């Protein structure tokens, strides 16, 4: 205890009140730790090499060479480069293998369908049963192995990059479930996408690779560096999916980041470019392509791709896509909320988890059956085949074409003898629209980007074909006739609708990399910007909508028109009942605080009366303190000391010094003698249960002593000298506005901040309270406000004058206190200089 009391002032100096020499002390302490760490690392390296050199055997030299090669690679190339190369290579292999397996599954379905052309009923059974089996297997496998793999993955990654820890989302089980489940889901032919899941898969690879690299030590043991690598991994996921590294980096930034660190920019580009390159090289190696080209190569004319008179049509595509994107997000959320609100249906589907995906797949497969209704909407084409035909630069309409267009290959699916091509496109758009919104609610790994991309291309193709029909002779410019290119309209529609659903502009860059042509850059940008403007004013993005549906702990954005964000302050939304520990607390207080809550960090204050905030301590550190005080080593030590004391007492009993001392000693050992006497009685009474009875009696004796010892240990004062304390937890003053608080939380990725007033802890604000304040539901229990929020302060009055007056009063009240000031040179000093 004396040693504890001697060490206590150092804790007060380090974590307590601000003193003038705190900066000097911090610099000296940092220098000392840095020097000791360098000496320790050099000593460890030299000791490792010495041990390896002295080891006998054939592998000693090999291990020495391995260590030296590792040091050379890390020092010359850099750990970032090694990590990013491995990540890009791994993701390219995963993407190629998944695409290869999906192609085999789709080819097997067509083979089964084509082999039964003699019987339509058998064809229908084969066409329907195959996707139902795959989707059911995907849903069941994912649910059993890792339910976290369900869905897109972008909303979860957006939350993780925000600083929130989601359990089991970045594990190896989730990786296996995501890859296998996604392969089966896309191999079924359902209108689902792979872009969102590949963002999650790339993040899983980055997390697992970081754990592997951390075995060799280095910067990958740092949590902040892992977050940076996850941000780069999101770009790799899009880059290897579409072979679009530039658009992938920009898209990942738009959909996952509120604030982006520019230092991570090169990491995303490097890894995404390397991954896209390897992905296309594998396609050439497998003889799928002759050389490295765009994924959906187009051949639009470059001399005159479009005329200025066509810009209004492109603008119409953008505006209509904005409304369509908002409708898609609303329809998707409406389906999920409808199922959840119907308690009977929801309860039934929770018991029969595989029934819902099977029924949805059966419905979609039935409607796309080629001899049935699917003949009016190109039902036998896969998503990739549909997109290739929609981006074709040849015109399908017959009006005004000198020679009738010959439907070759997959384009023949859009031709029907009784129905016009315009009707086919309209049916395709309408049916695929609600089918995709419904299919994305299936509990399997899937995304929505690719189905929306295809629907947008079909809508653009419809507008392009309509323009070609309205202007059969083309656009006359300078005596030259330029025919309409419907494929260019399809590119514009694909970028506009996908941008409206995801609230991104980078889809324009993605279509340029997908098609390999940048000729339509102006109409694409016009349409994408207009689509975003319309969609953002009507609905949140698809990923933000999923975040709200799943109730993920993500901080929503503040709208431009919310003037209340300047009137609401931290003191109105903070939680005033703060869990804290004092500097002079005992281990019993520590134990009670840990039992009453599940907070990750606890505030450390000087005393309960002053409430001066000294720092914060993580829960794991407090648990470590308790285990050190009451752990197994301390118990064994106490038992040994107790046994030695009993032995000494028994020796004194045999030869007591006086009558009083004999009486005292006999009282101390009475319980032990009585226990041994009980053992003797049980020995004569029941020989068979002698061992058990004696063991039980001795255990009762020990339990009593240990319980008394524990009570004494819990009453001792906590020693924080060997505990890691954060001396500067993030703090806000009570008058900080909601706007500033939101900006700080978003920029720094905070999950909580303490509220202080002149150093005194008065409350805490977490993501939960901040989210409730932004969403307007601040009357929920646990959040104390002064309603109404928008009007309890008059923004028109001069609040700054009131605050200035209050500050003057505060200064007058505390002007007797000596505050540290910077030394200002006096007049005599200036004259002497």
């Amino acid at each position: 205890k004396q040693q504890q009391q001697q060490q206590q002032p150092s804790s007060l100096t380090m974590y307590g009140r601000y003193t003038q020499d705190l900066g000097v002390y911090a610099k000296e302490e940092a220098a000392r730790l840095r020097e000791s760490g360098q000496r320790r690392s050099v000593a460890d390296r030299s000791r490792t090499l010495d041990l390896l050199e002295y080891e006998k055997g054939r592998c000693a030299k090999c291990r020495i060479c391995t260590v030296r090669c590792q040091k050379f690679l890390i020092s010359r190339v850099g750990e970032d480069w090694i990590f990013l190369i491995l990540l890009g290579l791994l993701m390219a292999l995963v993407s190629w293998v998944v695409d290869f397996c999906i192609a085999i599954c789709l080819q097997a379905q067509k083979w089964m369908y084509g082999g039964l052309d003699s019987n339509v009923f058998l064809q229908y059974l084969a066409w329907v049963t195959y996707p139902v089996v795959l989707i059911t297997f995907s849903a069941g496998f994912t649910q059993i192995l890792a339910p976290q793999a369900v869905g897109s993955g972008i909303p979860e990654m957006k939350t993780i990059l925000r600083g929130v820890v989601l359990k089991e989302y970045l594990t190896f089980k989730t990786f296996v479930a995501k890859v296998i489940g996604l392969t089966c889901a896309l191999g079924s032919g359902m209108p689902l996408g792979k872009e969102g899941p590949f963002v999650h898969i790339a993040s899983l690879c980055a997390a697992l690779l970081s754990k592997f690299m951390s075995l060799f030590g280095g910067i990958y043991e740092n949590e902040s560096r892992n977050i940076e690598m996850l941000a780069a991994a999101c770009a790799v996921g899009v880059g290897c999916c579409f072979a679009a590294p530039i658009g992938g980096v920009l898209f990942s930034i738009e959909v996952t980041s509120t604030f982006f660190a520019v230092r991570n920019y090169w990491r995303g580009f490097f890894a995404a470019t390397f991954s896209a390159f390897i992905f296309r090289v594998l396609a050439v190696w497998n003889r799928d392509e002759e050389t490295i080209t765009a994924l959906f190569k187009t051949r639009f004319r470059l001399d005159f791709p479009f005329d200025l008179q066509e810009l209004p049509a492109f603008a119409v595509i953008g505006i209509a896509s904005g409304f369509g994107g908002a409708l898609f997000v609303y329809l998707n959320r409406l389906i999920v909320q409808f199922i959840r609100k119907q308690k009977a249906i929801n309860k039934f589907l929770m018991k029969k988890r595989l029934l819902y995906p099977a029924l949805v797949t059966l419905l979609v497969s039935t409607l796309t059956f080629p001899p049935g209704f699917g003949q009016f909407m190109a039902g036998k084409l896969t998503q990739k085949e549909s997109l290739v035909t929609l981006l074709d630069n040849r015109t399908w309409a017959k009006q005004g074409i000198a020679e009738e267009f010959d439907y070759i290959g997959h384009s023949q699916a859009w031709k029907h003898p009784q129905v016009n091509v315009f009707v086919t496109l309209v049916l395709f758009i309408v049916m695929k629209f609600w089918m995709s919104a419904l299919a994305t609610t299936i509990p399997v790994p899937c995304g929505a980007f690719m189905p929306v991309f295809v629907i947008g291309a079909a809508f653009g193709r419809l507008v392009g074909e309509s323009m070609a029909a309205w202007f059969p002779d083309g656009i006359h410019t300078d005596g030259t006739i330029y025919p309409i290119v419907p494929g260019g309209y399809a590119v514009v529609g694909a970028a506009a609708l996908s941008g409206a659903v995801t609230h991104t502009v980078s889809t324009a860059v993605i279509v340029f990399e997908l098609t390999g042509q940048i000729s339509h850059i102006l109409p694409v940008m016009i349409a994408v910007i207009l689509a975003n403007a319309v969609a953002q004013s009507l609905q949140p993005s698809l990923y933000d909508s999923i975040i709200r549906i799943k109730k993920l702990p993500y901080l929503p954005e503040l709208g431009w028109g919310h003037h209340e964000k300047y009137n609401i302050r931290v003191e109105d939304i903070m939680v005033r009942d703060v869990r804290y520990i004092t500097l002079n607390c005992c281990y019993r207080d520590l134990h009670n605080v840990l039992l009453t809550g599940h907070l990750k960090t606890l505030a450390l204050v000087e005393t309960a009366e002053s409430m001066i905030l000294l720092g914060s301590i993580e829960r794991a550190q407090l648990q470590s303190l308790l285990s050190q005080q009451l752990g197994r080593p301390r118990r064994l030590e106490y038992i040994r000391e107790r046994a030695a004391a009993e032995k000494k007492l028994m020796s004194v009993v045999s030869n007591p010094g006086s009558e009083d001392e004999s009486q005292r000693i006999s009282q101390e050992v009475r319980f032990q003698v009585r226990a041994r006497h009980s053992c003797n009685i049980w020995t004569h009474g029941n020989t068979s249960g002698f061992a058990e009875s004696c063991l039980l009696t001795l255990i009762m004796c020990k339990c009593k002593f240990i319980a008394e010892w524990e009570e004494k240990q819990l009453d001792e004062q906590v020693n924080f000298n060997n505990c890691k304390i954060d001396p500067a937890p993030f703090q806000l003053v009570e008058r900080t506005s909601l706007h500033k608080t939101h900006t700080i939380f978003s920029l720094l990725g905070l999950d909580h901040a303490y509220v202080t007033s002149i150093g005194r802890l008065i409350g805490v604000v977490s993501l939960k309270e901040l989210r409730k304040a932004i969403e307007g539901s601040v009357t929920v229990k646990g959040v104390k406000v002064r309603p109404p929020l928008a009007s309890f302060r008059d923004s028109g009055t001069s609040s700054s004058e009131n605050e200035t007056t209050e500050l003057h009063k505060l200064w007058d009240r505390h002007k007797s206190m000596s505050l540290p000031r910077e030394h200002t040179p006096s007049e005599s000093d200036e004259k002497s200089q």
Side-chain angles (χ1 to χ4, degrees):
K1 290 185 177 179
Q2 291 177 358
Q3 185 179 1
Q4 248 182 347
Q5 291 174 0
Q6 291 174 358
Q7 292 173 346
Q8 202 69 26
S10 64
S11 300
L12 282 171
T13 305
M14 181 63 188
Y15 303 112
R17 304 179 187 278
Y18 294 101
T19 57
Q20 191 172 0
D21 59 344
L22 181 60
V24 179
Y25 174 78
K27 291 180 181 178
E28 293 177 354
E29 189 70 13
R32 184 184 65 79
L33 292 175
R34 186 167 55 252
E35 292 176 1
S36 63
Q38 290 176 354
R39 286 196 298 268
R40 193 182 302 112
S41 61
V42 171
D44 291 342
R45 290 197 198 99
S46 61
R47 192 181 302 112
T48 303
L49 290 175
D50 292 340
L51 288 173
L52 288 175
E53 289 177 358
Y54 280 106
E55 279 186 358
K56 295 181 180 181
R58 299 178 180 177
C59 299
K61 294 183 179 180
C62 296
R63 275 180 271 181
I64 294 173
C65 293
T66 303
V67 171
R68 289 176 178 172
C69 290
Q70 178 188 353
K71 290 173 60 180
F72 174 79
L73 288 174
I74 291 175
S75 60
R76 297 293 181 182
V77 182
E79 288 186 346
D80 281 0
W81 297 85
I82 297 175
F83 181 90
L84 296 173
I85 288 175
L86 291 176
L87 178 62
L89 179 62
L90 182 61
M91 279 307 302
L93 291 173
V94 171
S95 180
W96 183 80
V97 170
V98 169
D99 283 354
F100 183 76
C101 295
I102 291 172
I104 291 177
C105 293
L106 294 175
Q107 188 176 1
Q109 183 185 18
K110 287 192 174 183
W111 176 79
M112 292 173 59
Y113 170 77
L116 300 172
D117 54 353
S118 59
N119 193 323
V120 178
F121 180 72
L122 293 179
Q123 275 188 321
Y124 171 74
L125 287 180
W127 182 267
V128 170
T129 306
Y130 187 81
V132 168
V133 171
L134 285 178
I135 288 292
T136 306
F137 172 78
S138 176
F141 181 79
T142 305
Q143 187 64 36
I144 294 173
L145 187 61
Q148 295 80 10
V150 171
S152 170
I154 289 181
E156 289 79 9
M157 287 312 304
K158 191 172 184 178
T159 307
I160 291 174
L161 290 177
R162 173 61 185 73
V164 180
V165 178
L166 298 179
K167 293 182 179 180
E168 302 295 328
Y169 270 93
L170 296 177
T171 59
F172 183 73
K173 289 196 307 181
T174 309
F175 173 78
V176 175
K178 196 83 174 182
V179 172
I180 296 178
L182 178 65
T183 303
C184 295
L186 297 183
S188 65
M190 290 286 288
L192 303 171
K194 60 175 282 192
E195 186 241 4
F198 258 78
V199 172
H200 191 191
I201 291 173
S203 303
L204 287 164
C205 290
L208 298 174
L209 201 57
S210 296
K211 290 182 180 179
F212 174 75
M213 298 288 285
S214 64
L215 298 176
F216 303 97
I219 56 177
Y220 293 100
E221 296 175 352
N222 188 355
E223 184 178 355
S224 61
R225 180 53 61 94
N226 293 336
I227 295 295
E228 294 179 358
M229 293 306 167
L230 287 178
C234 293
V236 175
V238 185
C240 70
C241 184
F242 292 139
I246 301 175
V249 173
L250 299 177
F251 184 83
S252 66
I253 293 173
E254 286 189 278
V255 299
T256 61
S257 303
T258 304
F259 294 94
F260 184 77
V262 183
R263 64 177 179 273
N264 297 330
Y265 212 45
W266 72 270
R267 294 187 179 95
F269 274 115
F270 177 78
T273 303
F274 185 78
S275 180
F277 172 73
I278 298 297
F279 177 67
R280 298 307 292 161
V281 166
L282 289 173
V284 176
W285 172 76
N286 197 41
R287 297 180 181 178
D288 296 332
E289 300 285 348
E290 295 181 359
T291 184
I292 297 178
T293 58
L295 203 60
F296 299 99
K297 182 68 176 175
T298 57
R299 295 173 178 82
F300 303 145
R301 63 172 185 265
L302 300 178
D303 54 345
F304 198 85
F306 64 92
D307 190 79
L308 291 178
Q309 301 177 32
E310 299 178 67
L311 289 181
F314 294 129
V316 169
I317 292 177
I319 296 173
S321 297
F323 285 105
L327 180 60
F328 183 89
V329 175
Y330 174 75
L331 183 60
N332 178 270
R333 186 171 66 252
L334 186 65
I335 294 172
V336 176
Q337 291 177 348
F338 173 78
I339 296 175
R340 288 186 177 182
K341 288 181 180 179
Q342 303 297 324
K343 294 183 179 180
I345 299 177
N346 191 20
K347 186 177 181 180
F348 178 74
L349 293 178
M350 288 297 291
K351 293 181 180 179
K352 310 291 184 180
R353 294 181 179 272
L354 302 182
L355 183 61
Y356 177 71
L359 291 177
V360 173
T361 308
L362 178 64
L363 174 63
V364 174
S365 301
T366 301
L367 291 176
T368 57
F369 181 53
F373 191 76
Q375 62 182 323
F376 302 105
M377 48 179 291
K380 66 179 181 181
L381 294 182
T382 64
Q383 287 190 113
K384 185 175 182 179
E385 294 169 350
S386 300
L387 190 58
V388 169
T389 57
L390 290 171
L391 298 179
D392 192 0
N393 60 339
R394 292 173 292 183
T395 307
W396 295 348
K398 299 179 181 179
Q399 293 89 344
I401 304 299
E403 54 185 6
E404 184 177 335
F405 171 61
D406 187 13
Y407 290 82
I408 303 174
H410 298 305
S411 299
Q412 191 175 3
W414 299 96
K415 182 180 180 180
H416 193 274
Q418 286 86 23
V419 179
N420 196 344
V421 67
F422 298 101
V423 178
T424 304
L425 284 171
V426 170
L427 288 176
F428 179 87
I429 294 169
V430 173
M431 298 299 292
K432 288 290 183 180
F433 191 87
W434 69 264
M435 284 181 183
S436 301
L438 178 64
T440 49
T441 62
I442 299 176
V444 295
C446 63
F449 185 88
M450 198 62 185
V452 170
F453 196 83
V454 175
I455 295 170
F459 176 70
R461 185 80 192 192
L462 176 63
V463 177
E465 293 290 343
S466 301
M467 290 289 292
W470 293 333
F471 300 96
D473 297 331
I475 304 295
H476 296 266
T477 303
D478 297 333
T480 307
I481 299 177
Y482 295 99
I484 301 293
V485 181
Y489 287 81
V491 171
V492 174
L497 187 61
S498 56
V501 170
T502 59
H503 287 191
T504 57
V505 185
S506 56
T507 54
V509 184
I510 291 178
V511 297
F512 298 148
E513 293 181 280
L514 274 177
T515 60
Q517 286 189 288
I518 201 171
S519 56
H520 286 75
I521 181 171
L522 182 61
V524 166
M525 290 303 301
I526 291 175
V528 169
I529 291 174
L530 289 175
N532 270 272
V534 174
Q536 291 182 19
S537 63
L538 297 176
Q539 287 289 326
S541 70
L542 180 63
Y543 308 123
D544 290 337
S545 177
I546 296 174
I547 287 175
R548 296 182 184 180
I549 291 173
K550 293 186 175 182
K551 297 181 180 179
L552 295 175
Y554 185 77
L555 194 61
E557 295 295 330
L558 282 174
W560 289 100
H562 292 172
H563 301 290
E564 294 84 1
K565 61 188 177 183
Y566 299 103
N567 298 332
I568 303 174
R569 295 171 179 169
V570 169
E571 61 183 348
D572 304 316
I573 64 174
M574 68 181 181
V575 176
R576 300 178 184 272
D577 184 16
V578 187
R579 301 281 181 183
Y580 65 89
I581 54 176
T582 60
L583 194 62
N584 56 356
C585 67
C586 60
Y587 286 96
R588 189 182 303 278
D589 300 331
L590 213 63
H591 182 261
N592 295 333
V593 169
L594 290 176
L595 286 179
T596 53
H598 301 281
L599 298 175
K600 295 180 182 179
T601 58
L602 289 170
L604 176 64
V605 299
E606 187 177 12
T607 60
E609 292 77 19
S610 66
M611 291 298 291
I612 300 297
L613 182 63
L614 304 180
S616 64
I617 308 178
E618 293 184 357
R619 186 183 185 88
Q621 293 291 324
L622 299 179
Q623 291 173 344
S624 177
L625 286 176
L626 271 178
S627 63
Q628 290 175 7
Q629 186 73 5
L630 302 173
R632 181 180 176 83
R634 291 291 304 274
R635 293 173 185 269
L636 293 176
E637 182 182 356
Y638 168 73
I639 291 174
R640 285 194 295 268
E641 292 177 356
R642 186 72 187 181
E646 289 179 2
K647 185 177 180 182
K648 183 178 180 180
L649 287 173
M650 294 302 295
S651 63
V652 173
V653 167
S654 60
N655 188 16
S658 62
E659 185 177 353
D660 296 338
E661 186 178 358
S662 176
Q663 184 178 2
R664 181 179 58 83
I665 293 174
S666 63
Q667 289 177 355
E668 290 180 358
V669 299
R670 185 176 299 166
F671 187 81
Q672 290 88 340
V673 173
R674 188 177 300 169
R676 289 176 174 80
H677 182 63
S678 301
C679 291
N680 293 331
I681 293 175
W682 285 335
T683 302
H684 296 289
N686 186 8
T687 307
S688 61
F690 166 69
E692 291 82 358
S693 303
C694 288
L695 181 61
L696 179 61
T697 305
L698 293 176
I699 289 175
M700 291 172 62
C701 300
K702 299 298 182 184
C703 288
K704 178 182 178 182
F705 295 140
I706 289 178
E708 294 176 354
W709 174 80
E710 285 184 355
E711 293 296 324
K712 293 180 181 179
Q713 296 298 315
L714 287 174
D715 290 333
E716 289 187 5
Q717 187 176 350
V718 180
N719 182 12
F720 291 104
N721 291 333
N722 297 326
C723 182
K724 293 181 180 179
I725 300 176
D726 182 9
F730 202 87
Q731 305 173 37
L732 298 170
V733 297
E734 68 271 25
R735 292 183 177 274
T736 306
S737 66
L738 179 64
H739 176 261
K740 286 185 179 180
T741 306
H742 179 274
T743 303
I744 292 171
F745 268 66
S746 301
L747 183 60
L748 301 180
L750 302 177
D751 57 357
H752 74 281
Y754 296 110
V755 183
T756 57
S757 175
I758 322 178
R760 294 175 56 253
L761 179 64
I762 61 174
V764 64
V765 175
S766 66
L767 280 175
K768 181 180 179 180
E769 288 76 39
L770 195 56
R771 188 168 63 249
K772 289 178 180 178
I774 294 172
E775 293 176 352
S777 57
V778 288
T779 56
V780 182
K781 182 180 178 182
V783 182
K784 185 177 181 180
V785 297
R786 289 176 286 172
L789 286 174
S791 60
F792 70 83
R793 289 190 185 90
D794 185 9
S795 59
T797 61
S798 178
S799 60
S800 60
E801 294 180 0
N802 297 333
E803 293 178 7
T804 305
T805 305
E806 293 178 3
L807 288 175
H808 282 301
K809 292 180 180 179
L810 186 64
W811 173 257
D812 293 337
R813 192 186 313 156
H814 297 280
K815 64 182 179 179
S816 59
M817 298 174 58
S818 59
L819 299 177
R821 299 182 182 179
E822 295 184 358
H823 175 69
T824 55
S826 60
E827 295 180 1
S828 59
D829 294 335
E830 294 178 356
K831 290 179 181 179
S832 62
Q833 292 177 356

